Amino acid sequence: MHELSLMEGMLEIIEDSARAQGCHRIRTVILEIGKLAGVEVEALRFAFDAVTAGSLAAGAALEIEEPEGQGWCAACGKVSPVTARYDMCPRCPTLPLQITGGAELRVKALDVD
Ligand SMILES: [Zn+2]
């Protein structure tokens, strides 16, 4: 149910932003959910339909972008692809990479009326 509470939080951001723009209907919501964010995208889609019922975003299309994971190594300074948090640098296998991409979890854009 992590995705449900996450989606409720995102809906607040979405509705606040839509009201700030003076709009009354949201046509499309674009989320950015990195592959390392630990979120089940299918569960999030399901949660979206559930929490947006009766809201400004009711019936809106949901688009989800899923950036690939990447990380930076403090030892060699290289950026490498990361498939899981705490992946090690392929050149310096003693150091976990610092995640620089793929952990996104945000409302990226709205298309509103
Ligand atoms: Zn390294």
Side-chain angles (χ1 to χ4, degrees), residues 4 19 23 37 41 52 56 72 74 76 80 92 95 98 104 106:
L4 193 56
R19 286 197 192 98
C23 84
V41 166
T52 57
L56 292 180
W72 173 79
C76 68
S80 305
C92 327
L95 276 180
Q98 294 181 29
E104 298 83 356
R106 66 189 188 99

Side-chain angles (χ1 to χ4, degrees), residues 73 75-76 89 91-92:
C73 175
C76 68
C89 175
R91 296 157 183 260
C92 327

Side-chain angles (χ1 to χ4, degrees), residues 34-63:
K35 294 234 167 120
L36 305 177
V39 172
E40 198 62 56
V41 166
E42 282 317 305
L44 199 60
R45 287 186 184 280
F46 182 80
F48 180 80
D49 290 340
V51 305
T52 57
S55 78
L56 292 180
L62 177 63
E63 291 179 16

